[in-house]
Amino acid sequence: SRVKREKGATDHKERIVKAAMGNSALSDTLIKKIAKSSPKRIKRAVVSILRDEIETQNRILRRAEASPETAEVEHIAEAKEKLDKLEARAMLFVGCTDYNVVESLIDCLSRDNLPWLMPSASPHHWLCRKLSRLIENEEE
């Protein structure tokens, strides 16, 4: 909010957001503000980072569940908790109709939350079809 509106301001904000996300210093309040009223480029950056973090947590969780003899119950619970928090943050962006944002959200949201993306995906034929297939496959 302290970055003045001028040429290059979006670049500067994007660097700040990426650095904050890299240091796990981006608050839920700021993410809500970005989801509500930031340029698409900043939304894309945040959603992309969230997608990467969700994929990482999913890998950790799958690895822990695949070898339960070595995984501690607390470790699995911690991974699930982190995953839930990241997904809640990503859900703040479901109202954005930007192609890149919607595509990233399709790739990282759990199947239960995918129907919330339908209105945002509807202007993008390919994404709408992909989303429909994912939802239908889950129901089978």
Side-chain angles (χ1 to χ4, degrees):
S1 64
R2 293 184 184 153
V3 177
K4 293 182 181 178
R5 295 181 83 171
E6 59 187 13
K7 187 175 180 175
T10 301
D11 294 333
H12 188 61
K13 287 179 181 181
E14 189 175 9
R15 284 192 302 274
I16 292 170
V17 166
K18 285 181 179 180
M21 289 291 283
N23 293 321
S24 301
L26 203 58
S27 68
D28 289 337
T29 306
L30 192 53
I31 290 178
K32 287 177 187 176
K33 188 174 180 180
I34 290 169
K36 187 176 180 180
S37 64
S38 286
K40 289 180 183 177
R41 215 166 97 200
I42 295 176
K43 289 179 184 181
R44 288 175 189 156
V46 171
V47 171
S48 175
I49 293 168
L50 287 171
R51 181 195 65 220
D52 293 344
E53 289 183 14
I54 288 172
E55 288 173 358
T56 301
Q57 286 302 315
N58 275 325
R59 264 186 261 124
I60 291 169
L61 187 59
R62 280 193 307 270
R63 204 174 311 129
E65 290 175 340
S67 57
E69 63 279 348
T70 59
E72 296 178 15
V73 176
E74 301 90 33
H75 189 65
I76 293 173
E78 182 182 324
K80 286 182 179 181
E81 186 178 318
K82 284 182 182 178
L83 199 56
D84 289 343
K85 184 177 179 181
L86 289 168
E87 189 160 346
R89 286 178 161 191
M91 285 295 292
L92 295 171
F93 294 88
V94 295
C96 181
T97 59
D98 179 65
Y99 185 91
N100 294 327
V101 171
V102 174
E103 184 176 36
S104 290
L105 290 173
I106 287 173
D107 292 339
C108 73
L109 290 179
S110 65
R111 300 298 176 239
D112 294 338
N113 288 324
L114 285 177
W116 291 100
L117 271 177
M118 287 302 269
S120 299
S122 62
H124 312 288
H125 178 69
W126 195 94
L127 290 178
C128 195
R129 287 183 51 201
K130 180 180 178 181
L131 184 58
S132 295
R133 270 193 314 264
L134 287 171
I135 292 171
E136 289 170 7
N137 287 340
E138 183 62 28
E139 292 174 358
E140 292 176 357

